[in-house]
Amino acid sequence: MSLVLDPAAQDLLFREARTANTFTDEPVTDEQVQAIYDLVKYGPTAFNQSPLRVVLVRSAEGRERLVKHMAEGNRPKTSTAPLVALLVADNEFHDELPALLPHFPQAKDAFFSERPVREQSATLNAALQAAYFIIGVRAAGLAAGPMTGFDAAGIEKEFLDGDHKLLMAVNIGKPGEAAWLPRLPRLSYDEVVTTV
């Protein structure tokens, strides 16, 4: 059985997509980010909880505050990417559940009244949404450079409050010169999939 999605779209979103390490100076507009969000917001999460929050780092001052917390190898590309998105899990996502789950508003208290339960659910579902976000960046014809090499506590203190947990930083833009490292191997179907 073949996939329904056009092969060119499959290539854009998956086969040809890689983590970008350099970017041109072409800006990423607010309209592009809005279009990405308006596409990926439809990706499913448990209870439609939608815990992902996005902090866009555009200003020179914000970039300077961010770069000092990045791992050494991530500093040059973070300094020069047109836009950096901090993808964050909102541990108080349950406050939005009555609006997001109108047929079951009591889910807020029935399932998510305890902070440890919320944190676990927020991390899992925001990570799922982060993957959607990266695919959305690719669908917009841009390159994404997701990174977890940073001082998370430092970035959280610099940009967030105690109710939000940093998952990753994503450099976004048009790929620059020598943007791609060689494609790394992937596991085969038989190495990943087991039937019982």
Side-chain angles (χ1 to χ4, degrees), residues 164-179:
H164 294 82
K165 178 184 178 185
L166 178 65
L167 300 175
M168 67 183 70
V170 182
N171 293 326
I172 303 170
K174 292 284 187 182
E177 187 175 328

Side-chain angles (χ1 to χ4, degrees), residues 23-147:
F23 298 89
T24 70
D25 59 2
E26 183 178 329
V28 176
T29 67
D30 289 336
E31 293 77 17
Q32 287 172 301
V33 177
Q34 176 83 47
I36 291 165
Y37 176 73
D38 286 341
L39 174 65
V40 304
K41 69 183 179 184
Y42 295 108
T45 57
F47 290 93
N48 197 35
Q49 65 187 250
S50 306
L52 182 71
R53 304 295 179 261
V54 181
V55 177
L56 299 178
V57 182
R58 285 193 185 280
S59 70
E61 180 265 339
R63 192 68 59 100
E64 186 177 322
R65 289 169 51 208
L66 175 61
V67 167
K68 70 183 180 184
H69 298 290
M70 300 304 292
E72 189 65 40
N74 289 333
R75 289 180 182 175
K77 54 190 167 186
T78 304
S79 296
T80 57
L83 180 64
V84 182
L86 301 178
L87 303 187
V88 174
D90 180 0
N91 292 316
E92 297 299 312
F93 68 86
H94 70 310
D95 288 337
E96 305 296 334
L97 279 182
L100 293 172
L101 202 63
H103 64 282
F104 187 32
Q106 62 271 34
K108 173 185 176 182
D109 298 316
F111 295 101
F112 300 109
S113 62
E114 296 180 19
R115 177 72 180 228
V117 173
R118 287 197 308 275
E119 288 178 356
Q120 183 179 14
S121 191
T123 298
L124 173 65
N125 285 278
L128 185 61
Q129 288 186 285
Y132 301 149
F133 184 86
I134 292 167
I135 299 300
V137 168
R138 294 171 178 173
L142 299 169
M147 301 169 291

